[in-house]
mmCIF file of all heavy atoms in Angstrom:
data_model
loop_
_atom_site.group_PDB
_atom_site.id
_atom_site.type_symbol
_atom_site.label_atom_id
_atom_site.label_comp_id
_atom_site.label_asym_id
_atom_site.label_seq_id
_atom_site.Cartn_x
_atom_site.Cartn_y
_atom_site.Cartn_z
ATOM 1 N N LEU A 8 -59.158 -20.001 -32.660
ATOM 2 C CA LEU A 8 -60.013 -21.175 -33.064
ATOM 3 C C LEU A 8 -59.204 -22.456 -32.481
ATOM 4 O O LEU A 8 -58.036 -22.440 -32.373
ATOM 5 C CB LEU A 8 -60.023 -21.164 -34.639
ATOM 6 C CG LEU A 8 -60.755 -20.160 -35.215
ATOM 7 C CD1 LEU A 8 -60.744 -20.335 -36.853
ATOM 8 C CD2 LEU A 8 -62.242 -20.042 -34.809
ATOM 9 N N GLU A 9 -60.066 -23.330 -32.163
ATOM 10 C CA GLU A 9 -59.590 -24.605 -31.511
ATOM 11 C C GLU A 9 -60.217 -25.773 -32.336
ATOM 12 O O GLU A 9 -61.358 -25.776 -32.796
ATOM 13 C CB GLU A 9 -59.920 -24.842 -30.214
ATOM 14 C CG GLU A 9 -59.106 -23.764 -29.332
ATOM 15 C CD GLU A 9 -59.485 -24.004 -27.823
ATOM 16 O OE1 GLU A 9 -60.276 -24.957 -27.448
ATOM 17 O OE2 GLU A 9 -58.941 -23.331 -26.914
ATOM 18 N N PHE A 10 -59.353 -26.863 -32.586
ATOM 19 C CA PHE A 10 -59.942 -28.152 -33.317
ATOM 20 C C PHE A 10 -60.817 -28.889 -32.282
ATOM 21 O O PHE A 10 -60.559 -28.908 -31.039
ATOM 22 C CB PHE A 10 -58.775 -29.154 -33.653
ATOM 23 C CG PHE A 10 -58.128 -28.515 -34.920
ATOM 24 C CD1 PHE A 10 -56.872 -27.791 -34.871
ATOM 25 C CD2 PHE A 10 -58.672 -28.668 -36.156
ATOM 26 C CE1 PHE A 10 -56.226 -27.332 -36.087
ATOM 27 C CE2 PHE A 10 -58.013 -28.276 -37.281
ATOM 28 C CZ PHE A 10 -56.806 -27.593 -37.233
ATOM 29 N N ARG A 11 -61.922 -29.431 -32.666
ATOM 30 C CA ARG A 11 -62.783 -30.350 -31.918
ATOM 31 C C ARG A 11 -62.904 -31.567 -32.739
ATOM 32 O O ARG A 11 -63.006 -31.581 -34.014
ATOM 33 C CB ARG A 11 -64.050 -29.691 -31.543
ATOM 34 C CG ARG A 11 -64.936 -29.273 -32.525
ATOM 35 C CD ARG A 11 -66.074 -28.482 -32.012
ATOM 36 N NE ARG A 11 -67.014 -27.986 -33.110
ATOM 37 C CZ ARG A 11 -68.195 -28.641 -33.463
ATOM 38 N NH1 ARG A 11 -68.473 -29.670 -32.951
ATOM 39 N NH2 ARG A 11 -68.882 -28.110 -34.448
ATOM 40 N N ASN A 12 -63.106 -32.728 -32.036
ATOM 41 C CA ASN A 12 -63.255 -34.054 -32.667
ATOM 42 C C ASN A 12 -64.811 -34.287 -33.287
ATOM 43 O O ASN A 12 -65.716 -34.022 -32.501
ATOM 44 C CB ASN A 12 -62.940 -35.133 -31.693
ATOM 45 C CG ASN A 12 -63.017 -36.425 -32.274
ATOM 46 O OD1 ASN A 12 -63.091 -36.582 -33.632
ATOM 47 N ND2 ASN A 12 -63.106 -37.574 -31.563
ATOM 48 N N LEU A 13 -64.883 -34.405 -34.548
ATOM 49 C CA LEU A 13 -66.222 -34.683 -35.129
ATOM 50 C C LEU A 13 -66.407 -36.194 -35.407
ATOM 51 O O LEU A 13 -67.387 -36.539 -35.943
ATOM 52 C CB LEU A 13 -66.226 -33.911 -36.474
ATOM 53 C CG LEU A 13 -65.979 -32.375 -36.394
ATOM 54 C CD1 LEU A 13 -66.164 -31.843 -37.853
ATOM 55 C CD2 LEU A 13 -67.197 -31.852 -35.543
ATOM 56 N N GLY A 14 -65.558 -36.954 -34.974
ATOM 57 C CA GLY A 14 -65.693 -38.378 -35.003
ATOM 58 C C GLY A 14 -64.569 -39.015 -35.932
ATOM 59 O O GLY A 14 -63.852 -38.293 -36.678
ATOM 60 N N PRO A 15 -64.411 -40.373 -35.832
ATOM 61 C CA PRO A 15 -65.145 -41.235 -35.088
ATOM 62 C C PRO A 15 -64.765 -41.235 -33.704
ATOM 63 O O PRO A 15 -63.582 -40.846 -33.361
ATOM 64 C CB PRO A 15 -64.798 -42.669 -35.727
ATOM 65 C CG PRO A 15 -63.609 -42.424 -36.395
ATOM 66 C CD PRO A 15 -63.522 -41.060 -36.814
ATOM 67 N N PHE A 16 -65.704 -41.379 -32.808
ATOM 68 C CA PHE A 16 -65.402 -41.351 -31.337
ATOM 69 C C PHE A 16 -64.899 -42.585 -30.698
ATOM 70 O O PHE A 16 -65.459 -43.232 -29.818
ATOM 71 C CB PHE A 16 -66.594 -40.822 -30.622
ATOM 72 C CG PHE A 16 -67.128 -39.558 -31.052
ATOM 73 C CD1 PHE A 16 -68.112 -39.418 -32.001
ATOM 74 C CD2 PHE A 16 -66.562 -38.303 -30.500
ATOM 75 C CE1 PHE A 16 -68.592 -38.161 -32.454
ATOM 76 C CE2 PHE A 16 -67.069 -37.092 -31.056
ATOM 77 C CZ PHE A 16 -67.947 -37.046 -31.930
ATOM 78 N N ARG A 17 -63.707 -42.985 -31.205
ATOM 79 C CA ARG A 17 -62.994 -44.166 -30.710
ATOM 80 C C ARG A 17 -61.474 -43.710 -30.534
ATOM 81 O O ARG A 17 -61.000 -43.118 -31.496
ATOM 82 C CB ARG A 17 -63.160 -45.306 -31.575
ATOM 83 C CG ARG A 17 -64.552 -45.884 -31.525
ATOM 84 C CD ARG A 17 -64.589 -47.233 -32.205
ATOM 85 N NE ARG A 17 -64.560 -47.057 -33.664
ATOM 86 C CZ ARG A 17 -64.450 -48.045 -34.619
ATOM 87 N NH1 ARG A 17 -64.477 -49.215 -34.033
ATOM 88 N NH2 ARG A 17 -64.418 -47.820 -35.931
ATOM 89 N N GLY A 18 -60.980 -44.187 -29.474
ATOM 90 C CA GLY A 18 -59.533 -43.661 -29.188
ATOM 91 C C GLY A 18 -58.559 -44.982 -29.117
ATOM 92 O O GLY A 18 -57.382 -44.790 -28.690
ATOM 93 N N GLY A 19 -58.840 -46.029 -29.795
ATOM 94 C CA GLY A 19 -58.099 -47.099 -29.772
ATOM 95 C C GLY A 19 -58.267 -48.112 -28.700
ATOM 96 O O GLY A 19 -59.101 -47.934 -27.850
ATOM 97 N N ARG A 20 -57.425 -49.149 -28.664
ATOM 98 C CA ARG A 20 -57.603 -50.236 -27.647
ATOM 99 C C ARG A 20 -57.198 -49.834 -26.268
ATOM 100 O O ARG A 20 -56.164 -49.248 -26.031
ATOM 101 C CB ARG A 20 -56.910 -51.476 -28.181
ATOM 102 C CG ARG A 20 -57.267 -52.008 -29.505
ATOM 103 C CD ARG A 20 -56.481 -53.017 -30.214
ATOM 104 N NE ARG A 20 -56.176 -54.053 -29.099
ATOM 105 C CZ ARG A 20 -54.821 -54.318 -28.910
ATOM 106 N NH1 ARG A 20 -53.841 -53.793 -29.422
ATOM 107 N NH2 ARG A 20 -54.645 -55.296 -27.924
ATOM 108 N N VAL A 21 -58.118 -50.226 -25.261
ATOM 109 C CA VAL A 21 -57.903 -49.799 -23.881
ATOM 110 C C VAL A 21 -57.950 -51.113 -23.123
ATOM 111 O O VAL A 21 -59.018 -51.923 -23.100
ATOM 112 C CB VAL A 21 -58.923 -48.726 -23.485
ATOM 113 C CG1 VAL A 21 -58.732 -48.630 -21.815
ATOM 114 C CG2 VAL A 21 -58.770 -47.473 -24.105
ATOM 115 N N VAL A 22 -57.051 -51.489 -22.443
ATOM 116 C CA VAL A 22 -56.859 -52.726 -21.585
ATOM 117 C C VAL A 22 -56.647 -52.342 -20.040
ATOM 118 O O VAL A 22 -56.645 -53.224 -19.366
ATOM 119 C CB VAL A 22 -55.832 -53.764 -22.001
ATOM 120 C CG1 VAL A 22 -56.000 -54.105 -23.443
ATOM 121 C CG2 VAL A 22 -54.411 -53.151 -21.881
ATOM 122 N N ALA A 23 -56.682 -51.196 -19.743
ATOM 123 C CA ALA A 23 -56.565 -50.765 -18.372
ATOM 124 C C ALA A 23 -57.179 -49.432 -18.064
ATOM 125 O O ALA A 23 -57.167 -48.481 -18.765
ATOM 126 C CB ALA A 23 -54.974 -50.472 -18.059
ATOM 127 N N VAL A 24 -58.044 -49.456 -16.865
ATOM 128 C CA VAL A 24 -58.910 -48.422 -16.479
ATOM 129 C C VAL A 24 -58.668 -48.282 -14.922
ATOM 130 O O VAL A 24 -58.464 -49.296 -14.193
ATOM 131 C CB VAL A 24 -60.315 -48.551 -16.901
ATOM 132 C CG1 VAL A 24 -60.481 -48.474 -18.443
ATOM 133 C CG2 VAL A 24 -60.932 -49.795 -16.462
ATOM 134 N N ALA A 25 -59.004 -47.153 -14.444
ATOM 135 C CA ALA A 25 -59.031 -46.942 -12.890
ATOM 136 C C ALA A 25 -59.750 -45.710 -12.644
ATOM 137 O O ALA A 25 -59.963 -44.797 -13.423
ATOM 138 C CB ALA A 25 -57.465 -46.805 -12.510
ATOM 139 N N GLY A 26 -60.247 -45.584 -11.337
ATOM 140 C CA GLY A 26 -60.949 -44.427 -10.937
ATOM 141 C C GLY A 26 -60.420 -43.817 -9.759
ATOM 142 O O GLY A 26 -59.768 -44.513 -8.930
ATOM 143 N N ASP A 27 -60.708 -42.563 -9.495
ATOM 144 C CA ASP A 27 -60.219 -41.916 -8.285
ATOM 145 C C ASP A 27 -61.323 -42.235 -7.076
ATOM 146 O O ASP A 27 -62.482 -42.273 -7.424
ATOM 147 C CB ASP A 27 -60.264 -40.355 -8.440
ATOM 148 C CG ASP A 27 -59.656 -39.695 -7.351
ATOM 149 O OD1 ASP A 27 -60.221 -39.735 -6.160
ATOM 150 O OD2 ASP A 27 -58.686 -38.823 -7.546
ATOM 151 N N TYR A 28 -60.880 -42.569 -5.941
ATOM 152 C CA TYR A 28 -61.542 -43.052 -4.956
ATOM 153 C C TYR A 28 -62.352 -41.936 -4.228
ATOM 154 O O TYR A 28 -63.237 -42.149 -3.441
ATOM 155 C CB TYR A 28 -60.871 -43.873 -3.823
ATOM 156 C CG TYR A 28 -60.413 -45.223 -4.406
ATOM 157 C CD1 TYR A 28 -59.340 -45.272 -5.158
ATOM 158 C CD2 TYR A 28 -61.222 -46.418 -4.089
ATOM 159 C CE1 TYR A 28 -58.900 -46.497 -5.754
ATOM 160 C CE2 TYR A 28 -60.835 -47.617 -4.563
ATOM 161 C CZ TYR A 28 -59.759 -47.727 -5.360
ATOM 162 O OH TYR A 28 -59.299 -48.935 -5.807
ATOM 163 N N GLU A 29 -61.897 -40.691 -4.359
ATOM 164 C CA GLU A 29 -62.631 -39.568 -3.638
ATOM 165 C C GLU A 29 -63.318 -38.602 -4.594
ATOM 166 O O GLU A 29 -64.299 -38.192 -4.263
ATOM 167 C CB GLU A 29 -61.384 -38.795 -2.850
ATOM 168 C CG GLU A 29 -60.847 -39.744 -1.761
ATOM 169 C CD GLU A 29 -59.685 -38.876 -1.034
ATOM 170 O OE1 GLU A 29 -59.402 -37.779 -1.481
ATOM 171 O OE2 GLU A 29 -59.160 -39.400 -0.110
ATOM 172 N N ASN A 30 -62.706 -38.292 -5.623
ATOM 173 C CA ASN A 30 -63.332 -37.404 -6.792
ATOM 174 C C ASN A 30 -64.076 -38.136 -7.639
ATOM 175 O O ASN A 30 -63.592 -38.968 -8.463
ATOM 176 C CB ASN A 30 -62.250 -36.644 -7.455
ATOM 177 C CG ASN A 30 -62.807 -35.473 -8.284
ATOM 178 O OD1 ASN A 30 -64.002 -35.470 -8.711
ATOM 179 N ND2 ASN A 30 -62.079 -34.347 -8.362
ATOM 180 N N ARG A 31 -65.422 -38.088 -7.715
ATOM 181 C CA ARG A 31 -66.289 -38.921 -8.399
ATOM 182 C C ARG A 31 -66.246 -38.720 -10.004
ATOM 183 O O ARG A 31 -66.624 -39.499 -10.825
ATOM 184 C CB ARG A 31 -67.773 -38.715 -7.972
ATOM 185 C CG ARG A 31 -68.065 -39.278 -6.592
ATOM 186 C CD ARG A 31 -69.518 -38.988 -6.286
ATOM 187 N NE ARG A 31 -70.400 -39.707 -7.152
ATOM 188 C CZ ARG A 31 -70.829 -41.003 -7.053
ATOM 189 N NH1 ARG A 31 -70.180 -41.692 -6.108
ATOM 190 N NH2 ARG A 31 -71.588 -41.425 -7.976
ATOM 191 N N LEU A 32 -65.730 -37.440 -10.440
ATOM 192 C CA LEU A 32 -65.628 -37.212 -11.869
ATOM 193 C C LEU A 32 -64.218 -37.533 -12.418
ATOM 194 O O LEU A 32 -64.080 -37.458 -13.580
ATOM 195 C CB LEU A 32 -65.943 -35.839 -11.951
ATOM 196 C CG LEU A 32 -67.292 -35.335 -11.545
ATOM 197 C CD1 LEU A 32 -67.435 -33.853 -11.779
ATOM 198 C CD2 LEU A 32 -68.349 -36.080 -12.346
ATOM 199 N N VAL A 33 -63.228 -38.125 -11.699
ATOM 200 C CA VAL A 33 -61.993 -38.394 -12.100
ATOM 201 C C VAL A 33 -61.776 -39.925 -12.360
ATOM 202 O O VAL A 33 -61.972 -40.745 -11.512
ATOM 203 C CB VAL A 33 -60.848 -37.890 -11.157
ATOM 204 C CG1 VAL A 33 -59.517 -38.339 -11.612
ATOM 205 C CG2 VAL A 33 -60.937 -36.441 -11.021
ATOM 206 N N PHE A 34 -61.443 -40.217 -13.686
ATOM 207 C CA PHE A 34 -61.071 -41.546 -14.125
ATOM 208 C C PHE A 34 -59.751 -41.455 -14.954
ATOM 209 O O PHE A 34 -59.501 -40.479 -15.556
ATOM 210 C CB PHE A 34 -62.204 -42.162 -14.923
ATOM 211 C CG PHE A 34 -63.483 -42.288 -14.164
ATOM 212 C CD1 PHE A 34 -64.531 -41.196 -14.242
ATOM 213 C CD2 PHE A 34 -63.780 -43.375 -13.411
ATOM 214 C CE1 PHE A 34 -65.690 -41.286 -13.537
ATOM 215 C CE2 PHE A 34 -65.054 -43.507 -12.668
ATOM 216 C CZ PHE A 34 -65.822 -42.525 -12.739
ATOM 217 N N TYR A 35 -59.118 -42.674 -15.138
ATOM 218 C CA TYR A 35 -58.059 -42.858 -15.964
ATOM 219 C C TYR A 35 -58.174 -43.985 -16.859
ATOM 220 O O TYR A 35 -58.845 -45.008 -16.601
ATOM 221 C CB TYR A 35 -56.798 -42.967 -15.104
ATOM 222 C CG TYR A 35 -56.477 -41.982 -14.157
ATOM 223 C CD1 TYR A 35 -57.045 -41.994 -12.870
ATOM 224 C CD2 TYR A 35 -55.560 -40.856 -14.367
ATOM 225 C CE1 TYR A 35 -56.822 -40.932 -11.793
ATOM 226 C CE2 TYR A 35 -55.400 -39.894 -13.392
ATOM 227 C CZ TYR A 35 -55.941 -39.999 -12.206
ATOM 228 O OH TYR A 35 -55.670 -39.014 -11.218
ATOM 229 N N PHE A 36 -57.478 -43.918 -18.093
ATOM 230 C CA PHE A 36 -57.421 -45.213 -18.817
ATOM 231 C C PHE A 36 -55.977 -45.274 -19.341
ATOM 232 O O PHE A 36 -55.357 -44.196 -19.702
ATOM 233 C CB PHE A 36 -58.415 -45.307 -19.974
ATOM 234 C CG PHE A 36 -58.240 -44.463 -21.098
ATOM 235 C CD1 PHE A 36 -57.432 -44.774 -22.191
ATOM 236 C CD2 PHE A 36 -59.036 -43.232 -21.295
ATOM 237 C CE1 PHE A 36 -57.217 -44.031 -23.436
ATOM 238 C CE2 PHE A 36 -58.890 -42.452 -22.494
ATOM 239 C CZ PHE A 36 -57.956 -42.906 -23.386
ATOM 240 N N GLY A 37 -55.545 -46.450 -19.637
ATOM 241 C CA GLY A 37 -54.243 -46.702 -20.341
ATOM 242 C C GLY A 37 -54.429 -47.248 -21.740
ATOM 243 O O GLY A 37 -55.217 -48.283 -21.872
ATOM 244 N N SER A 38 -54.017 -46.601 -22.743
ATOM 245 C CA SER A 38 -54.065 -47.073 -24.060
ATOM 246 C C SER A 38 -52.955 -48.037 -24.478
ATOM 247 O O SER A 38 -51.822 -47.883 -23.963
ATOM 248 C CB SER A 38 -54.060 -45.820 -24.968
ATOM 249 O OG SER A 38 -53.826 -46.306 -26.286
ATOM 250 N N THR A 39 -53.208 -48.989 -25.254
ATOM 251 C CA THR A 39 -52.121 -49.887 -25.922
ATOM 252 C C THR A 39 -51.217 -49.143 -26.774
ATOM 253 O O THR A 39 -50.201 -49.810 -27.194
ATOM 254 C CB THR A 39 -52.685 -51.017 -26.572
ATOM 255 O OG1 THR A 39 -53.515 -50.669 -27.779
ATOM 256 C CG2 THR A 39 -53.625 -51.829 -25.676
ATOM 257 N N GLY A 40 -51.460 -47.918 -27.185
ATOM 258 C CA GLY A 40 -50.469 -47.242 -27.960
ATOM 259 C C GLY A 40 -50.528 -45.650 -27.791
ATOM 260 O O GLY A 40 -49.981 -44.980 -28.503
ATOM 261 N N GLY A 41 -50.966 -45.125 -26.644
ATOM 262 C CA GLY A 41 -50.991 -43.919 -26.379
ATOM 263 C C GLY A 41 -50.793 -43.309 -24.928
ATOM 264 O O GLY A 41 -51.055 -42.244 -24.597
ATOM 265 N N GLY A 42 -50.263 -44.196 -24.043
ATOM 266 C CA GLY A 42 -50.118 -43.728 -22.643
ATOM 267 C C GLY A 42 -51.282 -43.675 -21.820
ATOM 268 O O GLY A 42 -52.250 -44.368 -22.022
ATOM 269 N N VAL A 43 -51.048 -42.768 -20.807
ATOM 270 C CA VAL A 43 -52.236 -42.720 -19.721
ATOM 271 C C VAL A 43 -52.955 -41.422 -20.070
ATOM 272 O O VAL A 43 -52.398 -40.381 -20.283
ATOM 273 C CB VAL A 43 -51.616 -42.781 -18.306
ATOM 274 C CG1 VAL A 43 -52.760 -42.445 -17.348
ATOM 275 C CG2 VAL A 43 -50.821 -43.999 -17.967
ATOM 276 N N TRP A 44 -54.283 -41.586 -19.900
ATOM 277 C CA TRP A 44 -55.277 -40.440 -20.099
ATOM 278 C C TRP A 44 -56.091 -40.267 -18.850
ATOM 279 O O TRP A 44 -56.375 -41.178 -18.186
ATOM 280 C CB TRP A 44 -56.168 -40.623 -21.309
ATOM 281 C CG TRP A 44 -55.429 -40.754 -22.614
ATOM 282 C CD1 TRP A 44 -54.483 -41.735 -22.982
ATOM 283 C CD2 TRP A 44 -55.392 -39.787 -23.792
ATOM 284 N NE1 TRP A 44 -53.956 -41.428 -24.269
ATOM 285 C CE2 TRP A 44 -54.493 -40.356 -24.648
ATOM 286 C CE3 TRP A 44 -56.063 -38.540 -23.793
ATOM 287 C CZ2 TRP A 44 -54.220 -39.635 -25.752
ATOM 288 C CZ3 TRP A 44 -55.749 -37.888 -25.006
ATOM 289 C CH2 TRP A 44 -54.852 -38.366 -25.978
ATOM 290 N N LYS A 45 -56.441 -38.941 -18.663
ATOM 291 C CA LYS A 45 -57.279 -38.637 -17.473
ATOM 292 C C LYS A 45 -58.499 -37.692 -17.803
ATOM 293 O O LYS A 45 -58.394 -36.847 -18.626
ATOM 294 C CB LYS A 45 -56.449 -37.847 -16.389
ATOM 295 C CG LYS A 45 -57.132 -37.341 -15.194
ATOM 296 C CD LYS A 45 -56.080 -36.628 -14.172
ATOM 297 C CE LYS A 45 -56.671 -36.171 -12.967
ATOM 298 N NZ LYS A 45 -55.709 -35.503 -12.233
ATOM 299 N N THR A 46 -59.578 -37.980 -17.134
ATOM 300 C CA THR A 46 -60.664 -37.110 -17.302
ATOM 301 C C THR A 46 -61.081 -36.514 -15.900
ATOM 302 O O THR A 46 -60.895 -37.271 -14.981
ATOM 303 C CB THR A 46 -61.962 -37.833 -17.918
ATOM 304 O OG1 THR A 46 -63.034 -36.943 -17.892
ATOM 305 C CG2 THR A 46 -62.384 -39.079 -17.027
ATOM 306 N N GLU A 47 -61.540 -35.317 -15.876
ATOM 307 C CA GLU A 47 -61.765 -34.589 -14.516
ATOM 308 C C GLU A 47 -63.318 -34.229 -14.609
ATOM 309 O O GLU A 47 -63.841 -33.538 -13.740
ATOM 310 C CB GLU A 47 -61.043 -33.591 -14.319
ATOM 311 C CG GLU A 47 -59.503 -33.813 -14.098
ATOM 312 C CD GLU A 47 -58.600 -32.650 -13.886
ATOM 313 O OE1 GLU A 47 -58.477 -31.800 -14.837
ATOM 314 O OE2 GLU A 47 -57.992 -32.565 -12.744
ATOM 315 N N ASP A 48 -64.018 -34.684 -15.687
ATOM 316 C CA ASP A 48 -65.443 -34.326 -15.847
ATOM 317 C C ASP A 48 -66.422 -35.443 -16.118
ATOM 318 O O ASP A 48 -67.362 -35.347 -16.902
ATOM 319 C CB ASP A 48 -65.669 -33.211 -16.913
ATOM 320 C CG ASP A 48 -65.155 -33.560 -18.146
ATOM 321 O OD1 ASP A 48 -64.749 -34.712 -18.413
ATOM 322 O OD2 ASP A 48 -65.100 -32.630 -19.122
ATOM 323 N N GLY A 49 -65.898 -36.561 -15.633
ATOM 324 C CA GLY A 49 -66.704 -37.914 -15.734
ATOM 325 C C GLY A 49 -66.769 -38.400 -17.233
ATOM 326 O O GLY A 49 -67.583 -39.237 -17.579
ATOM 327 N N GLY A 50 -65.607 -38.127 -17.902
ATOM 328 C CA GLY A 50 -65.503 -38.736 -19.327
ATOM 329 C C GLY A 50 -65.884 -37.930 -20.482
ATOM 330 O O GLY A 50 -65.743 -38.391 -21.574
ATOM 331 N N HIS A 51 -66.326 -36.706 -20.319
ATOM 332 C CA HIS A 51 -66.679 -35.737 -21.433
ATOM 333 C C HIS A 51 -65.416 -35.335 -22.104
ATOM 334 O O HIS A 51 -65.399 -35.263 -23.477
ATOM 335 C CB HIS A 51 -67.444 -34.664 -21.008
ATOM 336 C CG HIS A 51 -68.843 -34.919 -20.514
ATOM 337 N ND1 HIS A 51 -69.868 -35.237 -21.317
ATOM 338 C CD2 HIS A 51 -69.347 -34.950 -19.119
ATOM 339 C CE1 HIS A 51 -70.954 -35.370 -20.440
ATOM 340 N NE2 HIS A 51 -70.627 -35.382 -19.373
ATOM 341 N N TYR A 52 -64.383 -35.088 -21.358
ATOM 342 C CA TYR A 52 -63.054 -34.543 -22.081
ATOM 343 C C TYR A 52 -62.006 -35.514 -21.281
ATOM 344 O O TYR A 52 -61.831 -35.572 -20.133
ATOM 345 C CB TYR A 52 -62.912 -33.185 -21.832
ATOM 346 C CG TYR A 52 -61.627 -32.633 -22.283
ATOM 347 C CD1 TYR A 52 -61.289 -32.404 -23.706
ATOM 348 C CD2 TYR A 52 -60.527 -32.381 -21.420
ATOM 349 C CE1 TYR A 52 -60.097 -32.042 -24.038
ATOM 350 C CE2 TYR A 52 -59.438 -31.884 -21.768
ATOM 351 C CZ TYR A 52 -59.194 -31.709 -23.216
ATOM 352 O OH TYR A 52 -57.912 -31.186 -23.691
#
């Protein structure tokens, strides 16, 4: 069994974002309290 988020669907304050110039599904964000996060499926996960 695995946990999945049932909400609320907010991850805190984000003041920094960036995207991959070659892979259209890859993006990054920097949280003000949680480091750097990456998605490889266009933001679903």
Side-chain angles (χ1 to χ4, degrees):
L8 296 182
E9 296 182 357
F10 285 99
R11 62 189 177 94
N12 184 14
L13 299 179
F16 296 96
R17 289 188 291 176
R20 298 169 48 235
V21 172
V22 300
V24 295
D27 189 301
Y28 288 84
E29 295 179 358
N30 191 327
R31 294 181 57 83
L32 298 180
V33 173
F34 298 92
Y35 302 86
F36 78 78
S38 167
T39 61
V43 175
W44 296 70
K45 178 181 181 179
T46 180
E47 297 177 296
D48 57 9
H51 292 284
Y52 174 77

